[in-house]
Amino acid sequence: MGTRLEEFEKQARQFSLRERSVLVDRLINSLEDVDEKECERLWLEEAHRRYQGYKAGTLASCSAEDALQRVRDQLREVR
């Protein structure tokens, strides 16, 4: 991650949960312009990066059930 992106993330983390939710929604919607092959390439690149981080011990893992519950809890907070 580049310095500019890290600075943006730091600023975005100061937003309220609702503001971050709106930002995420807008960013995701902006991806609709990416063609399917490019999108697949980007997801594979991200999956590889995460897997390498997991293998190196720099990224923790959790069960899908725990991850989904965490997302559900966060969505309840937004409402």
Side-chain angles (χ1 to χ4, degrees), residues 4-42:
R4 194 169 135 220
L5 185 56
E6 289 170 347
E7 181 59 32
F8 176 75
E9 180 182 353
K10 183 179 176 183
Q11 291 174 3
R13 287 181 180 271
Q14 295 175 9
F15 296 168
S16 70
L17 185 58
R18 181 149 179 76
E19 290 170 323
R20 289 193 316 260
S21 173
V22 169
L23 177 60
V24 166
D25 185 55
R26 289 179 183 177
L27 290 171
I28 289 172
N29 285 334
S30 75
L31 294 175
E32 291 179 4
D33 296 336
V34 178
D35 72 45
E36 202 170 312
K37 285 187 179 190
E38 177 66 3
C39 189
E40 183 176 346
R41 184 192 69 74
L42 292 169

Side-chain angles (χ1 to χ4, degrees), residues 65-76:
E65 183 178 306
D66 288 344
L68 290 173
Q69 187 60 52
R70 194 168 37 231
V71 169
R72 286 184 192 106
D73 292 344
Q74 289 174 348
L75 288 173
R76 275 191 214 100

